[in-house]
Amino acid sequence: MQNNVVAQVYPWQQTVWDTLTGRFPKLGHGLLFYGKKGCGKEAFAHYFLVWVLCNNRHEKNAPCGECGSCLWLKSDTHPNYVYISTDEENKKQNAKIRIEKIRDLLPFVQQTVDGWRVIVIEPAEALNIASANALLKTLEEPGERVVIILLADHYLKLPATIRSRLQHFALDRITETQAEHYLTEHLPDLDQTKKQLLMNLSNQMPLQAMQLAETEWLTKRQEFLSDWQKLVAQKNMPITIATKWNKTLSFSDFTQMFEYLLSDLICVKLNQQVKNSDLDLSGLSEQYTLEFLFTVYSDLQQTKQYIEQNVQSNLVLDELFIKLMDV
């Protein structure tokens, strides 16, 4: 698990924690922790693996934080723990976990050592057919005292053969009250309208809401919307507007803001609830057909890949604004 993840159990995960620790060690060796982005599943998984490997677990179902195992984990040198993800240099969209990484687990799983061994695979959706098949063998014939944890945002993207061999635990079952309480506690200065907006944008995931609260684009949505409306009404200066926004926001910030607004325009067309509840999108939505909006959305996903291939963001935005103007 990446070192920047703080190991903890959030209030909405307490029941799952009690179930896991209560059943341990009669758990089965394959666990799937899943939930929407921003539910804190990484922190939960990290806390659980620290607990499993701890030499002096407290009665309160907490790791001691002081034994050799806990200290090894803090310094990222634990011999009984393996973390598998996509390659650092290959963190692009749709990057896959290579089969070699799964094959290399075999000696680790089969060796006889003192204590427990833990493997974490994240994101589990990044397993391709070959690496998933290789993992099946490990899941079917694990060694003694081995726990394999898979982390997923969208567990249905995992092959059914893998899913059927895992115990599933949802870590994003958050009640409105829990979410509200958590946000109020951590962002006490937020007014109710802003809080509601953040909860909308984050799919009711408070950790994601707290990240969004710090984004630069959040306060610039109305300004961008005005520029967009002006572009459509006046049918000129797409490059000027594109240049302005290329300088105002980073490309990832801009695309995050634009995706939210685009999704909301689609929601207006479909008479569904919008997430940017403080903005009026009705006028703009009348300018576009549903088909056009879906095309723009799909083109946007493609452009993210271009940016990863070092295409300049200003060229991408120029093209986007010309497209938005020509309706």
Side-chain angles (χ1 to χ4, degrees):
M1 192 81 52
Q2 293 122 322
N3 268 343
N4 57 2
V5 172
V6 179
Q8 62 179 297
V9 175
Y10 290 99
W12 52 89
Q13 300 166 339
Q14 192 59 50
T15 312
V16 176
W17 177 261
D18 294 342
T19 303
L20 281 165
T21 53
R23 282 193 211 156
F24 191 82
K26 298 186 175 71
L27 260 181
H29 47 266
L31 308 176
L32 173 64
F33 295 162
Y34 69 92
K36 294 188 198 101
K37 190 179 171 189
C39 70
K41 58 185 174 294
E42 299 81 7
F44 180 94
H46 198 44
Y47 198 69
F48 183 63
L49 78 90
V50 175
W51 181 83
V52 168
L53 294 171
C54 176
N55 300 326
N56 313 308
R57 294 183 205 119
H58 291 172
E59 286 172 18
K60 291 186 302 189
N61 285 348
C64 74
E66 294 161 2
C67 67
S69 173
C70 287
L71 295 175
W72 266 337
L73 279 169
K74 279 176 188 165
S75 63
D76 208 18
T77 54
H78 204 299
N80 288 10
Y81 167 54
V82 175
Y83 174 70
I84 290 179
S85 186
T86 51
D87 294 336
E88 273 310 316
E89 69 276 11
N90 193 16
K91 285 285 183 200
K92 298 176 178 172
Q93 275 193 315
N94 306 321
K96 296 296 176 193
I97 292 171
R98 290 180 294 116
I99 186 172
E100 293 79 11
K101 289 194 170 192
I102 305 297
R103 281 187 182 144
D104 290 347
L105 286 175
L106 276 177
F108 175 78
V109 169
Q110 288 165 352
Q111 66 191 347
T112 43
V113 292
D114 289 338
W116 285 82
R117 279 160 291 162
V118 179
I119 297 159
V120 172
I121 299 174
E122 174 201 20
E125 298 96 325
L127 290 162
N128 57 24
I129 293 169
S131 52
N133 285 341
L135 181 63
L136 271 181
K137 292 184 183 136
T138 309
L139 285 169
E140 281 163 358
E141 301 164 18
E144 286 287 304
R145 289 184 299 184
V146 171
V147 178
I148 301 170
I149 299 169
L150 276 70
L151 284 176
D153 288 353
H154 311 284
Y155 76 97
L156 287 172
K157 289 185 179 175
L158 295 177
T161 45
I162 295 275
R163 293 202 310 265
S164 65
R165 285 166 175 79
L166 303 168
Q167 291 182 58
H168 300 199
F169 296 93
L171 295 175
D172 61 354
R173 300 296 189 257
I174 307 178
T175 66
E176 220 169 292
T177 315
Q178 284 172 326
E180 169 103 12
H181 181 74
Y182 192 85
L183 261 197
T184 306
E185 190 184 337
H186 290 84
L187 297 173
D189 301 333
L190 269 195
D191 63 43
Q192 193 55 40
T193 313
K194 185 88 178 280
K195 204 184 292 175
Q196 192 52 58
L197 171 69
L198 288 170
M199 291 312 291
N200 289 349
L201 293 172
S202 66
N203 288 322
Q204 313 298 316
M205 295 291 120
L207 304 180
Q208 177 81 344
M210 285 171 62
Q211 280 184 348
L212 289 174
E214 308 212 326
T215 57
E216 214 181 320
W217 58 262
L218 197 66
T219 55
K220 301 194 184 295
R221 291 165 306 130
Q222 182 57 64
E223 186 188 347
F224 172 68
L225 201 56
S226 303
D227 282 352
W228 189 352
Q229 285 163 331
K230 202 185 329 176
L231 177 75
V232 176
Q234 298 174 1
K235 297 270 187 286
N236 68 357
M237 301 209 305
I239 308 298
T240 310
I241 297 174
T243 305
K244 170 188 168 179
W245 286 99
N246 191 44
K247 285 178 181 164
T248 305
L249 293 173
S250 70
F251 183 76
S252 64
D253 270 5
F254 175 82
T255 48
Q256 197 178 19
M257 172 181 74
F258 185 68
E259 256 179 41
Y260 274 119
L261 292 169
L262 194 55
S263 299
D264 272 356
L265 285 178
I266 291 169
C267 286
V268 173
K269 302 293 270 184
L270 296 170
N271 291 321
Q272 291 175 352
Q273 208 169 358
V274 298
K275 293 197 159 125
N276 291 278
S277 46
D278 57 338
L279 300 177
D280 180 9
L281 297 158
S282 53
L284 197 54
S285 73
E286 288 165 12
Q287 304 294 327
Y288 300 107
T289 65
L290 202 48
E291 189 185 3
F292 178 84
L293 293 172
F294 277 123
T295 307
V296 173
Y297 190 86
S298 123
D299 290 350
L300 186 66
Q301 306 315 311
Q302 190 67 51
T303 59
K304 287 184 191 173
Q305 292 177 4
Y306 293 152
I307 294 293
E308 284 167 357
Q309 292 152 11
N310 296 325
V311 173
Q312 290 180 320
S313 61
N314 60 322
L315 299 177
V316 169
L317 290 193
D318 288 353
E319 199 176 306
L320 172 67
F321 281 88
I322 291 167
K323 193 183 296 168
L324 294 176
M325 181 185 75
D326 286 341
V327 286

